[in-house]
Amino acid sequence: MAPRVKLEKAAWLWVESVKPEDIKQEHIELAYRINIPACKRGICRRNCKGNPNCLVGIGEQVWLGEIDENTFHNIDDPNSERREKNIFVGLTNLGATCYVNTFLQVWFHNLELRRSLYKCQNSRAQEHNIDSDYEPQSICEHLQYLFALLQNSNRKYIDPSGLVKALGLDTGQQQDAQEFSNLFLSLLEETLSKEKNPNLQNLIQQQFCGQFFYVTICNQCGRSSTLPSRFYELELNIQGHKNLTECITEFLKEEKLDGENRYFCENCQSKQNATRRIRLHSLPPTLNLQLMRFVFDRQTGLKKKLNTFINFPEQLDMEPFLERKLDQKCVYELSAVLIHRGISAYSGHYIAHVKDALTGDWYKFNDEEIEKMEGKKLQLGIEEDIAETGKTQSRKPKCSKGYHCSRNAYMLVYKLQEEESSDSLRTNVEVPSFLQKLVDQDNHKFEEWCMEMANMRKLSVDKGRAKHEEVKELYDLLPAKDGEPYEFIPLDWLKKWLDDSTATKEIDSSIFLCSHGKLHPDKMGEIKRVSLQAAKLLYERYGGGPRLDGSSLCRDCVSERCRVLRLKKQLDEDYKEISNLVKRMPSEGYWVGKASLRSWRQLALEQLEEDDDESRHSNGQTNGQGPHTNNKFGLDVSGGAEDETETFNEDIICNHGGLSILEAERKLVSTEVWTKLREYFPKAPEFPHIQEPCRQCLTLEQEEKDNEAVSKMMALDQKNQLLNLFHEKNRPTLIKWPQGTDRLYIVPLFFVEEWRKFIRRPTKSSPVSNVGNSLLLCPHGGFMFTYDSLINGEAQHIALLWPNEWEVISRLFIVDKPIVIHCVRQTTPDSSTTLYTTQPDLCWECRESFLFQQQRDLREYTQATVYIRKVIEDKMTAKDGTPELNACSSEAEEEREELPKVDGDKDPDFSQSQDGAKRMKLNDSCEASAATTSGTSMIKSGGIRRSTRHRKLRGEKALIVSANQTLKELKIQIMHAFSVAPFDQNLSIDGKGLTDDSATLGSLGVIPECIICLKADEPVTDYAAMDDAYQVRMPEEGFKGTGLLGH
């Protein structure tokens, strides 16, 4: 089938030879494409939207032929959630709780621990009513219930959120697994110590606790000091070692105590050189060996992971490491390996390989997924296939028989080897009846859920089969045959009807109606023609409306489209003719706006397009009037400064509705040209050549000229009387009081700035009428500044006047309150002093309030800018304070002489704005600049107005900060801006170091617009450590605030 655009064009080819009044039924059917041949399946690959008779590719392909019943639903087989035979139960990962899951599985497989926990008193579980959900409270209760579910649940995996919530762990933050193990066992030990059963009180010590001695020998007197200590795990350093034996040997090796580490010998009563070593005394049944993969890097200040390969045996003989040979057995068998996958200490994934104590089989526990290893051998597999960060990848060393090698194992669990026993009481662990009752309750819920899912699958399948039969029945009836009655059905509805994933709603054809209440011809790409029989069945089953049939073809819409298309074709010919005619200079005719004349073709085309779209709405409203009912001319003309106009000939209408007085914006065209234009714009404003311009506009124009003349005279008079003030010459200063006067007058600097704008361009700026001294006074009428504050920077808000200038100001402008500063010299035989007073007097109360608020603003800011300046070897990287070349354009504009803006809305009395206070003229020397704390705070410097805004230097960047954020957070921002890690940053303000990372910027004295110097230490070469630094956004808090720490 031809593309949609070609079908649409072909539907209207007849309009070139047929006028609107000559349209017949055959033309209407052509416009609605009634007789286009229907597409056939197999030939047409996708649905032809331009053909209302194409019923291919609307979703029917999935229903034709035989269908697998699994396609009728999206419900997984509930049996996939069922525990497999001879496979253990997994644990759900709640976000970042894989480290918790691994230890829970290891402890569950400690049969003695599980058996003993089942013996703990649990009255809540024993008295539980199965009609409600069981909610454990204590840690022992949670472990009991969790272990019972892991043992006898029918589920493939269970949810440990109850225990995690009870511990107060953040499920979205990965924590140190070794620290979790230590804290949890300590918490469990404390909880069990409160049990009434004495065999349970020391359960953790009996299972995991061993003992060693710190033995210190004085080199001087030979005295030996022994300090016993318990351990629950041996923390072994792996750096520089290849196998487990080397790690244990280093743990027990002798350490020399000399220099500052000398030992205080009680026998010698002084510090002496000594040796210290650890002597293993006794070992527990379960020996936990922590391989210290996560270590603190002093260079980076962060933790890092050691990806060192370590060899470890399946059978470990600890007898060579014991100080005294005991009768107890010291041969251990490997029972679990805990793995951390990932190169960083701050991310990765935890899994566990655990040996089944009953069968000897190895299993991999990866949260919800449990995998049984082939045979009875430990297979680490892909757990060792991680990416390396170094330039050379280390090869995995060869392992002897009975040994394994890993660079990701962080904990090894060994169980004391026992003689094979047929005693089932030692190998089998039975779930107590009170816990089994709870497990059965959960299994019952699971079975109910499985049944519910199965029923839902069955309902979906039955519904799908019924829909399949319905589609096969109706789809063959859909095509409408030539000469037979037909109706129209929305294409989108047909697609949803054939899409089993969405509910079929009633048929809605209302959006396809034109303004005449019939089918719009432009909607034929969104609707399909079907047989009357099929339409009748669809409406009976699904309802809806309005129903559209052969009588719904709209003659009015077709006639209107015919007229518009013919006008569009005529438009090109008229454009060429009018373009030639307007070149002539007629003596009479009609006035047309030049902008309208330039864009009349585009305006006409847009108007025709609007007319073409006018009947698209289904509620009978039109989208605009046609050329003969043009409704645009009632709108206001917007964008008077634009070259083009939006409404024809309204660009020469003044605000009073008459002919504009601007002759340069209009052109006289002949009557012939105007007649052709009127065909497209019949409602356009008409102005014959004899039309006179608007009288009101002429009057206003003359008044404006008169006002400009008055403003020029006023500006010239004020300038001549205040010539020095205008040119900034001979200005008084406060630092060096002028001779010959004992008083100076003060006015706001903004008043002077606005007055100068008016003097420079009196016709474009409004005259200043009010001095506005109230801006410098408090609500009580007192002055807000002191003499000292004015000479120390606050003079940027004021301007100083000579007494004779003040007399002129008083005559020319309205003065609300004079402000005078007096200089009183007191001379005595011994000395002379100078006092400065103001009138009105200083209001100390408001002054102190002003200073307090000023300081508060500097300490309680949000979204303020500070500048970070990177220095190298105590020298700024930017030499001579050279500004950055990419300074913003707004700063460049401030370098130029400020030009007054045309702004008639500005209040000439400058009661709101204080822009003028932001600009100063600076001299080349700082000393001269200080002297400018005077009248205008300005000194002539080559006629250039320079910005007081902070200039960024090379090596300097601006950051947005708040007073309540910490220094640590600022360092993170600096790290992203300068690629300098936080631990390499040395920050200071005015030579004072910023060192407390937890302190807020406000408390450290960081204020808006201040400059913070950054001195970076030598960058580290450990890129993995830099990667860790980017991941650590906030200081580590570990398990602070969780139940593991008791708060």
Side-chain angles (χ1 to χ4, degrees):
M1 182 59 64
R4 177 179 180 178
V5 176
K6 289 186 177 180
L7 290 174
E8 290 177 352
K9 289 184 177 180
W12 298 94
L13 288 177
W14 53 271
V15 301
E16 298 180 5
S17 57
V18 179
K19 295 181 180 180
E21 56 271 20
D22 298 333
I23 291 177
K24 298 179 180 179
Q25 183 63 26
E26 60 182 279
H27 301 126
I28 297 176
E29 292 184 353
L30 283 172
Y32 281 91
R33 306 165 223 172
I34 299 298
N35 299 317
I36 296 179
C39 299
K40 296 182 179 180
R41 295 189 69 248
I43 299 178
C44 188
R45 296 182 179 180
R46 58 182 181 181
N47 186 257
C48 304
K49 289 190 176 181
N51 183 1
N53 298 316
C54 178
L55 296 171
V56 178
I58 59 176
E60 79 288 348
Q61 59 272 14
V62 299
W63 297 99
L64 303 180
E66 296 300 322
I67 304 177
D68 183 358
E69 66 177 26
N70 289 325
T71 62
F72 293 139
H73 64 80
N74 57 358
I75 303 173
D76 294 332
D77 185 358
N79 289 317
S80 63
E81 301 291 309
R82 189 181 298 278
R83 178 182 183 177
E84 297 180 23
K85 187 177 181 180
N86 297 327
I87 292 292
F88 290 102
V89 177
L91 290 166
T92 304
N93 190 336
L94 305 176
T97 57
C98 51
Y99 68 98
V100 178
N101 293 346
T102 55
F103 279 105
L104 289 176
Q105 293 287 9
V106 170
W107 294 328
F108 169 75
H109 282 80
N110 188 315
L111 300 185
E112 186 60 34
L113 176 63
R114 194 198 320 170
R115 182 183 296 110
S116 299
L117 281 173
Y118 284 162
K119 296 178 182 179
C120 290
Q121 185 69 24
N122 190 343
S123 58
R124 182 177 290 100
Q126 293 172 346
E127 300 171 1
H128 174 66
N129 184 354
I130 61 174
D131 294 332
S132 60
D133 292 333
Y134 173 61
E135 296 182 357
Q137 299 297 322
S138 69
I139 298 301
C140 285
E141 292 176 2
H142 277 286
L143 277 182
Q144 278 184 333
Y145 185 47
L146 201 63
F147 283 2
L149 289 174
L150 286 174
Q151 186 168 339
N152 288 339
S153 177
N154 292 344
R155 300 178 187 269
K156 184 178 181 181
Y157 50 84
I158 60 176
D159 185 355
S161 57
L163 174 63
V164 172
K165 185 178 179 181
L167 294 174
L169 300 179
D170 183 355
T171 59
Q173 182 178 1
Q174 192 174 87
Q175 297 282 13
D176 188 306
Q178 296 172 349
E179 185 181 4
F180 169 75
S181 172
N182 293 333
L183 293 175
F184 187 86
L185 288 179
S186 297
L187 178 63
L188 185 58
E189 181 180 14
E190 179 185 354
T191 305
L192 290 172
S193 66
K194 302 174 184 178
E195 286 288 325
K196 295 180 180 180
N197 189 341
N199 294 328
L200 300 177
Q201 293 176 356
N202 298 319
L203 173 63
I204 301 301
Q205 293 93 319
Q206 294 169 2
Q207 277 296 307
F208 303 102
C209 184
Q211 187 178 41
F212 58 67
F213 294 102
Y214 289 104
V215 181
T216 307
I217 301 176
C218 176
N219 291 354
Q220 181 67 26
C221 67
R223 180 181 182 274
S224 176
S225 172
T226 303
L227 178 65
S229 178
R230 295 190 310 175
F231 69 88
Y232 292 85
E233 58 190 25
L234 297 181
E235 298 182 350
L236 306 179
N237 175 36
I238 64 173
Q239 199 161 13
H241 301 304
K242 298 180 180 178
N243 55 57
L244 186 62
T245 302
E246 293 179 4
C247 298
I248 299 176
T249 302
E250 188 203 18
F251 180 77
L252 300 174
K253 76 176 182 179
E254 187 175 88
E255 176 188 6
K256 292 183 179 181
L257 302 178
D258 53 16
E260 295 182 356
N261 292 327
R262 286 187 300 168
Y263 163 71
F264 182 83
C265 178
E266 294 183 358
N267 192 35
C268 300
Q269 287 298 304
S270 61
K271 286 189 175 183
Q272 300 291 341
N273 291 341
T275 58
R276 176 177 292 171
R277 60 175 302 183
I278 295 176
R279 293 179 181 176
L280 286 177
H281 178 70
S282 62
L283 299 173
T286 302
L287 180 61
N288 293 329
L289 301 179
Q290 290 280 9
L291 305 183
M292 305 302 289
R293 291 204 175 272
F294 307 109
V295 297
F296 181 77
D297 190 341
R298 293 182 179 276
Q299 184 179 7
T300 64
L302 298 170
K303 285 193 305 182
K304 70 176 181 179
K305 181 183 178 184
L306 301 177
N307 293 303
T308 304
F309 278 107
I310 292 295
N311 246 307
F312 53 91
E314 290 184 359
Q315 193 174 81
L316 176 64
D317 186 2
M318 290 296 292
E319 185 175 0
F321 303 108
L322 288 172
E323 189 65 25
R324 293 188 303 165
K325 307 304 179 184
L326 304 175
D327 294 337
Q328 70 176 53
K329 296 180 180 179
C330 300
V331 179
Y332 286 82
E333 288 185 347
L334 185 65
S335 65
V337 180
L338 279 72
I339 299 290
H340 173 267
R341 297 174 60 183
I343 62 174
S344 169
Y346 295 97
S347 61
H349 183 58
Y350 290 93
I351 62 175
H353 292 263
V354 184
K355 184 179 181 180
D356 183 6
L358 298 179
T359 64
D361 296 327
W362 281 91
Y363 291 83
K364 181 170 75 172
F365 293 86
N366 184 5
D367 293 330
E368 298 90 349
E369 299 297 326
I370 312 297
E371 179 183 356
K372 181 181 178 181
M373 301 290 102
E374 295 183 2
K376 293 184 180 293
K377 297 293 184 182
L378 170 63
Q379 300 173 23
L380 297 179
I382 62 170
E383 277 65 60
E384 301 305 316
D385 300 335
I386 62 172
E388 296 221 16
T389 56
K391 294 182 180 178
T392 59
Q393 293 189 350
S394 57
R395 293 184 178 180
K396 181 178 181 179
K398 294 182 179 179
C399 296
S400 303
K401 186 177 181 180
Y403 283 82
H404 298 279
C405 190
S406 173
R407 60 180 168 189
N408 286 324
Y410 68 90
M411 182 173 177
L412 305 175
V413 181
Y414 283 91
K415 293 283 292 183
L416 189 64
Q417 191 178 59
E418 299 178 353
E419 295 182 1
E420 294 186 6
S421 173
S422 59
D423 185 4
S424 61
L425 295 177
R426 299 193 61 186
T427 55
N428 292 333
V429 181
E430 295 293 334
V431 177
S433 59
F434 70 92
L435 289 175
Q436 184 60 45
K437 180 179 63 174
L438 299 176
V439 175
D440 293 341
Q441 181 184 3
D442 184 74
N443 286 339
H444 180 69
K445 288 183 179 179
F446 175 69
E447 296 300 334
E448 286 183 341
W449 176 81
C450 290
M451 186 176 298
E452 182 182 354
M453 291 298 104
N455 290 335
M456 290 177 63
R457 280 167 59 101
K458 185 177 182 302
L459 288 175
S460 297
V461 170
D462 293 343
K463 179 181 177 183
R465 287 174 177 170
K467 185 65 171 286
H468 186 201
E469 295 300 323
E470 178 187 65
V471 172
K472 287 196 298 184
E473 173 193 357
L474 289 178
Y475 185 75
D476 292 338
L477 298 176
L478 284 180
K481 297 180 181 179
D482 294 339
E484 295 185 0
Y486 58 84
E487 288 194 27
F488 295 96
I489 300 293
L491 172 61
D492 186 59
W493 187 91
L494 287 172
K495 287 183 175 181
K496 291 180 179 179
W497 171 60
L498 295 170
D499 182 3
D500 189 49
S501 64
T502 59
T504 305
K505 299 180 180 179
E506 66 177 18
I507 304 171
D508 182 11
S509 303
S510 60
I511 60 174
F512 304 104
L513 300 181
C514 66
S515 59
H516 312 104
K518 295 189 175 184
L519 178 60
H520 198 294
D522 283 343
K523 298 294 184 178
M524 295 309 296
E526 305 171 39
I527 205 162
K528 294 298 178 182
R529 191 171 75 100
V530 301
S531 67
L532 179 62
Q533 183 182 2
K536 183 178 179 180
L537 291 174
L538 289 174
Y539 274 107
E540 285 178 354
R541 295 182 184 181
Y542 298 101
R547 298 178 66 167
L548 304 174
D549 54 18
S551 63
S552 301
L553 308 185
C554 185
R555 174 180 290 272
D556 293 335
C557 286
V558 174
S559 299
E560 179 64 16
R561 173 64 64 82
C562 175
R563 185 187 64 79
V564 170
L565 291 177
R566 290 175 64 86
L567 275 176
K568 282 184 179 180
K569 184 174 180 60
Q570 181 185 344
L571 178 62
D572 293 334
E573 299 176 1
D574 288 344
Y575 177 72
K576 294 178 182 178
E577 184 176 356
I578 290 177
S579 297
N580 292 327
L581 291 176
V582 296
K583 295 177 182 179
R584 304 174 185 175
M585 301 293 293
S587 58
E588 56 183 30
Y590 295 86
W591 292 110
V592 177
K594 290 183 178 180
S596 294
L597 204 55
R598 283 191 295 269
S599 58
W600 79 268
R601 183 175 181 272
Q602 181 64 27
L603 288 173
L605 188 61
E606 291 174 359
Q607 186 62 58
L608 290 174
E609 293 292 346
E610 182 179 332
D611 294 340
D612 198 12
D613 298 338
E614 69 174 349
S615 59
R616 290 188 185 274
H617 296 287
S618 61
N619 56 3
Q621 296 178 354
T622 60
N623 197 27
Q625 302 293 332
H628 298 288
T629 57
N630 193 323
N631 67 344
K632 285 188 176 181
F633 302 113
L635 300 175
D636 293 334
V637 179
S638 60
E642 297 179 1
D643 184 57
E644 304 299 333
T645 182
E646 294 185 1
T647 308
F648 186 78
N649 221 29
E650 283 210 343
D651 50 326
I652 59 172
I653 297 179
C654 71
N655 293 333
H656 312 104
L659 180 62
S660 172
I661 63 175
L662 301 176
E663 295 187 13
E665 295 182 0
R666 63 180 189 256
K667 180 179 179 64
L668 190 65
V669 299
S670 64
T671 303
E672 182 181 3
V673 171
W674 180 249
T675 303
K676 288 186 173 295
L677 291 174
R678 289 280 288 183
E679 293 181 11
Y680 297 95
F681 311 105
K683 288 291 185 178
E686 184 175 280
F687 298 104
H689 70 282
I690 58 174
Q691 179 80 35
E692 293 185 0
C694 176
R695 291 288 182 184
Q696 290 178 270
C697 290
L698 291 174
T699 302
L700 291 174
E701 182 184 33
Q702 185 59 43
E703 291 177 355
E704 184 177 354
K705 290 180 180 179
D706 296 341
N707 290 337
E708 288 180 357
V710 172
S711 295
K712 288 181 180 180
M713 292 176 60
M714 181 188 299
L716 181 60
D717 179 57
Q718 292 180 5
K719 177 182 178 182
N720 290 335
Q721 295 188 62
L722 299 168
L723 196 60
N724 285 345
L725 181 61
F726 176 75
H727 290 297
E728 302 179 58
K729 292 182 178 180
N730 190 26
R731 305 314 308 145
T733 64
L734 291 178
I735 292 181
K736 186 177 181 181
W737 188 272
Q739 298 292 328
T741 183
D742 61 349
R743 69 185 187 279
L744 295 173
Y745 288 85
I746 295 176
V747 295
L749 178 61
F750 183 71
F751 159 74
V752 178
E753 289 293 332
E754 292 298 306
W755 174 74
R756 286 190 181 123
K757 289 180 183 179
F758 169 69
I759 300 301
R760 290 189 186 103
R761 303 187 68 180
T763 61
K764 301 296 182 180
S765 301
S766 300
V768 179
S769 60
N770 197 322
V771 173
N773 271 352
S774 58
L775 292 175
L776 306 177
L777 303 178
C778 73
H780 311 108
F783 194 46
M784 287 294 293
F785 306 96
T786 65
Y787 172 80
D788 291 335
S789 71
L790 290 175
I791 64 174
N792 288 324
E794 290 185 355
Q796 60 181 329
H797 304 295
I798 68 162
L800 291 179
L801 303 178
W802 296 101
N804 61 332
E805 291 176 334
W806 175 253
E807 292 180 5
V808 176
I809 293 290
S810 300
R811 292 198 313 269
L812 297 178
F813 306 99
I814 299 173
V815 178
D816 46 0
K817 185 73 173 180
I819 302 177
V820 188
I821 182 167
H822 295 274
C823 174
V824 180
R825 293 182 174 87
Q826 298 179 350
T827 305
T828 64
D830 299 330
S831 63
S832 64
T833 58
T834 304
L835 299 177
Y836 298 94
T837 61
T838 61
Q839 186 180 0
D841 296 332
L842 176 69
C843 180
W844 283 107
E845 179 183 352
C846 293
R847 174 69 183 174
E848 289 177 357
S849 176
F850 168 74
L851 294 176
F852 174 79
Q853 184 63 38
Q854 194 176 48
Q855 291 299 318
R856 182 178 178 181
D857 291 343
L858 293 177
R859 295 291 183 268
E860 300 180 2
Y861 52 85
T862 58
Q863 299 297 304
T865 302
V866 298
Y867 299 92
I868 311 300
R869 183 174 297 172
K870 189 175 181 181
V871 298
I872 300 177
E873 296 179 357
D874 297 329
K875 296 180 180 179
M876 289 191 299
T877 57
K879 296 181 179 180
D880 302 326
T882 308
E884 285 187 339
L885 294 178
N886 62 345
C888 65
S889 59
S890 61
E891 291 180 0
E893 290 177 1
E894 290 191 32
E895 301 250 347
R896 307 189 193 102
E897 185 72 23
E898 179 187 274
L899 295 178
K901 299 179 181 178
V902 181
D903 190 356
D905 294 334
K906 255 184 185 176
D907 183 0
D909 295 335
F910 55 90
S911 59
Q912 299 294 329
S913 173
Q914 293 207 11
D915 280 346
K918 292 184 179 178
R919 292 184 168 84
M920 297 173 60
K921 290 194 175 180
L922 306 177
N923 202 355
D924 293 335
S925 68
C926 295
E927 184 177 345
S929 179
T932 63
T933 53
S934 62
T936 61
S937 297
M938 295 183 175
I939 292 180
K940 199 70 176 179
S941 178
I944 297 178
R945 185 182 307 274
R946 294 183 179 143
S947 171
T948 59
R949 183 182 305 172
H950 176 84
R951 295 286 187 82
K952 288 198 299 183
L953 308 181
R954 294 190 185 99
E956 181 176 303
K957 295 184 179 180
L959 298 180
I960 303 299
V961 298
S962 300
N964 59 353
Q965 77 178 71
T966 63
L967 182 63
K968 177 71 173 182
E969 293 170 328
L970 174 63
K971 286 185 175 181
I972 297 296
Q973 290 181 262
I974 295 175
M975 177 179 68
H976 290 291
F978 289 91
S979 297
V980 178
F983 40 79
D984 288 330
Q985 298 175 19
N986 296 297
L987 305 179
S988 62
I989 297 179
D990 297 330
K992 179 184 177 182
L994 306 177
T995 56
D996 189 354
D997 286 348
S998 61
T1000 62
L1001 299 186
S1003 65
L1004 292 173
V1006 178
I1007 63 176
E1009 302 295 323
C1010 73
I1011 298 173
I1012 301 176
C1013 290
L1014 163 66
K1015 184 178 179 182
D1017 292 336
E1018 289 297 322
V1020 297
T1021 56
D1022 188 352
Y1023 295 102
M1026 277 296 293
D1027 179 63
D1028 288 343
Y1030 274 90
Q1031 295 185 48
V1032 180
R1033 292 292 182 267
M1034 296 296 293
E1036 284 190 81
E1037 295 186 354
F1039 293 96
K1040 180 180 179 182
T1042 68
L1044 293 171
L1045 295 177
H1047 52 80

